[in-house]
Amino acid sequence: MSPKASPAVMGGKTRVLSGITVVDSPLVTRALDLARTHSEPFLFNHAARSWLFAVRLGQLQGIPNDAEVVAIGTLLHDLGLTNSFTGRKRFEIEGADAARAFAREQGLDDRRVQLIWDSVALNSTPSIGLYKEAEVALCTAGIGVEFGFQYDRIPPDEMNSILAAFPRLEMKQRFKDSVCRIVETKPETTFDNFAGDFGERFVPGYKRPSTVDYLMDAPFQE
């Protein structure tokens, strides 16, 4: 087996994207199209890089996985940051619901649909996602590379190839702006996820609700 070939896609159709062997199916193509249609270029590139990082981490560690689930989970993980899928819930849940709807429309069974939902819903909670099923953990890890986690696991030549094909396009600033918009427009969804970190750092007047306050103010007689 080639060092860049994944055991999860052996026997299925594959293609090489930015030097990485990935699954090639109509389902993945439709997920790519959905992400590209609704995402700003910087956000689509972020999703595509996350997919390639997830695939490569799985290959390097020899982790069997459902390659289509990993593709959909990573490619659609930030739909909740787009204007098309925004709502009153946490952005991760809005994205997970949109990814679940897509997966169901494509005829995926309940287990695969649930893995995709979990991958998206937990994408900003690595302390949980990394300990879930292989597909969820790989999605979480691939997205984490974008924040510097396990960066050194990706060989430098492959990293350069991925960045050349899907440049960052001021990812740090643009992503910060996207999350800060969430903080400003629906702060009630930010107290127990990383969006609150951005609010505390960048949004004047933002005060993160505390779980301690909820406990101490709970309407129970002690």
Side-chain angles (χ1 to χ4, degrees):
M1 183 184 302
S2 163
K4 295 187 183 181
S6 168
V9 298
M10 295 301 290
K13 187 177 180 183
T14 64
R15 65 179 172 127
V16 176
L17 180 63
S18 303
I20 310 300
T21 299
V22 299
V23 64
D24 184 17
S25 70
L27 179 61
V28 173
T29 298
R30 287 191 285 272
L32 274 164
D33 289 342
L34 180 64
R36 184 183 288 108
T37 296
H38 294 284
S39 303
E40 296 179 69
F42 90 91
L43 197 61
F44 172 74
N45 283 7
H46 161 59
R49 290 192 306 270
S50 297
W51 173 35
L52 295 174
F53 292 146
V55 170
R56 196 65 185 110
L57 289 172
Q59 293 169 354
L60 289 166
Q61 298 172 81
I63 300 173
N65 62 88
D66 184 326
E68 287 185 324
V69 166
V70 171
I72 296 169
T74 47
L75 289 169
L76 304 186
H77 82 271
D78 270 342
L79 285 182
L81 288 178
T82 70
N83 292 330
S84 300
F85 298 99
T86 191
R88 296 313 308 172
K89 293 177 282 188
R90 291 171 54 142
F91 81 88
E92 306 97 315
I93 303 303
E94 300 290 358
D97 288 350
R100 177 169 59 194
F102 167 81
R104 284 177 173 167
E105 289 170 0
Q106 303 305 312
L108 274 65
D109 63 48
D110 288 345
R111 174 170 171 75
R112 299 179 87 195
V113 170
Q114 188 62 54
L115 288 172
I116 290 166
W117 192 93
D118 286 354
S119 296
V120 178
L122 294 172
N123 85 82
S124 67
T125 316
S127 57
I128 297 175
L130 290 173
Y131 298 95
K132 291 279 289 177
E133 295 86 350
E135 292 78 12
V136 180
L138 285 174
C139 288
T140 304
I143 295 162
V145 173
E146 288 282 275
F147 292 80
F149 300 108
Q150 301 191 73
Y151 178 94
D152 293 339
R153 284 181 175 261
I154 307 297
D157 61 325
E158 296 173 13
M159 178 65 75
N160 290 337
S161 179
I162 291 169
L163 291 172
F166 299 100
R168 287 178 61 85
L169 303 178
E170 300 181 323
M171 162 70 180
K172 293 179 182 179
Q173 182 65 39
R174 301 293 301 281
F175 188 84
K176 183 208 82 171
D177 291 344
S178 293
V179 177
C180 285
R181 281 195 295 272
I182 297 292
V183 175
E184 292 165 348
T185 58
K186 46 181 183 177
E188 70 279 2
T189 69
T190 66
F191 83 96
D192 62 347
N193 61 11
F194 76 66
D197 297 336
F198 286 83
E200 290 177 333
R201 181 75 63 88
F202 299 112
V203 178
Y206 172 79
K207 186 178 186 302
R208 190 177 202 154
S210 169
T211 304
V212 175
D213 293 334
Y214 286 118
L215 173 65
M216 295 305 175
D217 295 339
F220 295 99
Q221 296 298 320
E222 295 296 314

